[in-house]
Amino acid sequence: MALGSAIGTGLFYGSSAAIQTAGPAVLLAYMIGGAVIFLVMRALGEMAVRHPVAGSFGQYASRYVGPFAGFLTGWTYTFEMFVVALADVTAFGVYMGFWFPQVERWVWILAVVFIIAAVNLVSVKVFGELEFWFALIKIVAIVAMIAGGIAIILFGFANAGGHEAGFHNLVGEGGFAPNGLWGVLASLTIVMFAFGGTEVIGITAGEAENPKKVLPRAINSVPVRILLFYVLALGVIMMIQPWDTIDGEASPFVSIFSSLGLAGAANILNLVVITAALSAINADIFAAGRMLHGLAEQGQAPRAFARTTKAGVPFMTVLTMVAALLVGVLLNVWFHDQIFFLIAALATFATVVVWLMILVSHARMKAEITREKKLPSEFPAPLWPVGNYVAMAVIALVIVLIGIIPDSRPALVVGAIWIALLAAAYFGFVRGTGRVRKELVDETAAIPVIRVEQESGSEDADDAVDEEGEPERMR
């Protein structure tokens, strides 16, 4: 699920904008973003192993920070999934334009919204099967692309523009960091968007068969895999094709193979990136539906969102997400050129707010463990407390950058309005259980103590006395 949500538009399409902003130094930005998401995921993992509940970080915020924090986190995560899905459907329209440039983008967006809605309304089983194959196709394709790209570099093929593939493309055309430190910092607003969705692992905590075994394994592996996919894949891309020739009109994966004259490969890759977009949209709608369903059960969303079909599908949440995605059709008609960057900035804002709440909840939990002398965590986050506060600082920096950069500044304004509306909704409409701090069962087990028996047996031990009848002392 996490791979399905996080390896999608951010890698296949959004990476173009990040490359244009920072040049080859965008690899540093992805490493920074990868380190932050790893720390966030480990903080989430420590809480999820202690309290394996559905809805996860929304409930942790309610328990350790307060009911309003849980309300804010849950609804902002739903908003994040909605905005990310908007970006994904927008990218889908761009990908289809590679084959059908004469067809308006909004036509494809309208079609994909209804197709994904049908899939999510059938049953969880159908959704799971489809997501498995979607994720498998794009992961295999990325690995194959990396391997093929390395082969192209080693054999020194030249592309249609006459550029020879090789490491020199990372340091030519203005150097490794053509736009300096500012370019790297500015690209963080797009890079963080790319990693959004990884936290979906937390939503499945209450449904995992053996959360204490499964969650740590997933949390440790997924951020590392995503980081490797992004850094390796984009490094190969920029070694094949100079960064300043990647214009964002198509996926950089497709444009590279087109520039090499491999039309068949470009068509196959375009099919792969379309699959990736469908996978991400699928995962986004699922995650948003689960979170809304959990909010409804906590009394922080309309009770209608708690209703499910006989197959267990929370149909009202799915229909709400689909209706919201239809807004994407209008946005792509009205703001055809600027839409992706603005949506990415909005998604980044929502993503980092959710991550910040995860880190704050984790810090409050650690303080409570120390204060009340509770059992130590079975899956503790590394580098505590330094790692936690460094991750918070980077996230705060990204929020500031969203406000500084002119193209993304409207996203900060919308984000501020969103938080104000949530505050008004909470204090104006939420009553009863929705205003009560969430109580969670602490499932932490004591660390087992292994007794080491003396090799000599109990009989020999009893006889180990000196002549005066006193036991021999340990030496």
Side-chain angles (χ1 to χ4, degrees):
M1 282 291 296
L3 287 169
S5 186
I7 299 180
T9 307
L11 174 60
F12 289 113
Y13 184 65
S15 54
S16 292
I19 290 170
Q20 291 168 24
T21 304
V26 75
L27 299 178
L28 296 177
Y30 278 104
M31 290 177 187
I32 294 169
V36 169
I37 186 56
F38 180 72
L39 291 170
V40 170
M41 292 300 295
R42 284 299 300 263
L44 176 58
E46 182 172 350
M47 293 188 289
V49 169
R50 186 173 285 268
H51 308 293
V53 294
S56 155
F57 42 87
Q59 299 204 38
Y60 304 148
S62 177
R63 166 66 177 80
Y64 289 107
V65 184
F68 175 66
F71 179 83
L72 173 69
T73 304
W75 276 102
T76 301
Y77 180 73
T78 303
F79 178 65
E80 174 196 341
M81 289 294 98
F82 157 63
V83 175
V84 170
L86 269 185
D88 292 329
V89 296
T90 300
F92 177 82
V94 174
Y95 300 157
M96 293 304 293
F98 179 75
W99 286 328
F100 307 100
Q102 71 281 5
V103 179
E104 291 288 339
R105 186 189 299 173
W106 67 266
V107 174
W108 300 114
I109 294 171
L110 189 64
V112 74
V113 167
F114 285 121
I115 291 170
I116 295 296
V119 168
N120 275 268
L121 286 171
V122 177
S123 74
V124 176
K125 183 179 179 180
V126 172
F127 161 80
E129 284 292 324
L130 191 63
E131 184 58 27
F132 170 80
W133 289 107
F134 277 165
L136 183 64
I137 289 170
K138 65 184 175 185
I139 290 167
V140 170
I142 293 171
V143 172
M145 194 286 300
I146 292 172
I150 291 173
I152 290 172
I153 294 165
L154 291 177
F155 289 107
F157 294 143
N159 61 32
H163 301 285
E164 186 178 341
F167 182 79
H168 63 275
N169 283 328
L170 292 179
V171 293
E173 309 297 335
F176 181 71
N179 297 322
L181 177 61
W182 172 248
V184 176
L185 292 176
S187 69
L188 281 173
T189 60
I190 305 167
V191 168
M192 290 303 194
F193 156 71
F195 290 109
T198 314
E199 66 282 351
V200 73
I201 290 176
I203 291 182
T204 66
E207 301 173 57
E209 189 172 336
N210 187 353
K212 292 189 179 183
K213 181 180 179 181
V214 173
L215 289 176
R217 190 191 317 162
I219 286 170
N220 280 335
S221 64
V222 169
V224 175
R225 289 175 186 172
I226 290 173
L227 183 59
L228 286 174
F229 282 146
Y230 275 87
V231 174
L232 268 181
L234 296 181
V236 168
I237 282 175
M238 288 185 288
M239 280 191 277
I240 293 175
Q241 184 172 342
W243 70 272
D244 57 348
T245 63
I246 299 172
D247 56 13
E249 290 300 317
S251 166
F253 289 77
V254 175
S255 64
I256 279 180
F257 284 91
S258 294
S259 68
L260 290 169
L262 303 175
N267 282 312
I268 292 172
L269 275 171
N270 199 54
L271 178 62
V272 169
V273 296
I274 285 172
T275 302
L278 291 172
S279 167
I281 299 165
N282 209 22
D284 296 339
I285 291 179
F286 175 87
R290 290 287 174 174
M291 183 59 77
L292 275 176
H293 185 264
L295 286 168
E297 290 185 332
Q298 295 172 52
Q300 295 187 335
R303 291 296 304 169
F305 288 149
R307 296 170 60 187
T308 61
T309 64
K310 290 182 180 180
V313 177
F315 66 95
M316 282 300 295
T317 63
V318 173
L319 291 175
T320 301
M321 276 293 289
V322 169
L325 282 179
L326 293 178
V327 174
V329 178
L330 297 176
L331 291 175
N332 273 276
V333 172
W334 296 335
F335 307 103
H336 184 275
D337 295 327
Q338 302 87 11
I339 184 63
F340 186 83
F341 190 90
L342 180 58
I343 287 175
L346 272 172
T348 299
F349 175 81
T351 297
V352 296
V353 166
V354 169
W355 291 357
L356 192 60
M357 290 307 301
I358 289 172
L359 292 170
V360 170
S361 302
H362 177 254
R364 295 289 294 271
M365 183 190 77
K366 296 289 278 190
E368 184 176 298
I369 291 171
T370 302
R371 185 174 62 252
E372 299 182 8
K373 296 181 173 58
K374 293 186 175 182
L375 290 171
S377 298
E378 297 171 87
F379 185 52
L383 304 177
W384 167 261
V386 176
N388 190 291
Y389 295 125
V390 168
M392 285 187 191
V394 174
I395 289 171
L397 173 63
V398 171
I399 294 174
V400 171
L401 289 170
I402 292 173
I404 292 175
I405 299 170
D407 288 341
S408 63
R409 194 172 298 145
L412 189 61
V413 175
V414 173
I417 294 171
W418 168 256
I419 291 177
L421 288 174
L422 283 181
Y426 178 81
F427 293 107
F429 300 103
V430 176
R431 297 286 183 272
T433 57
R435 289 287 194 99
V436 178
R437 186 182 291 269
K438 187 71 177 177
E439 290 301 323
L440 301 174
V441 176
D442 190 334
E443 298 190 12
T444 304
I447 298 173
V449 177
I450 301 173
R451 293 185 177 275
V452 180
E453 299 292 339
Q454 291 183 349
E455 291 183 8
S456 56
S458 58
E459 248 180 59
D460 296 337
D462 290 337
D463 294 337
V465 294
D466 60 20
E467 293 177 357
E468 296 175 354
E470 295 294 329
E472 291 189 79
R473 294 185 181 278
M474 285 281 196
R475 291 180 175 83

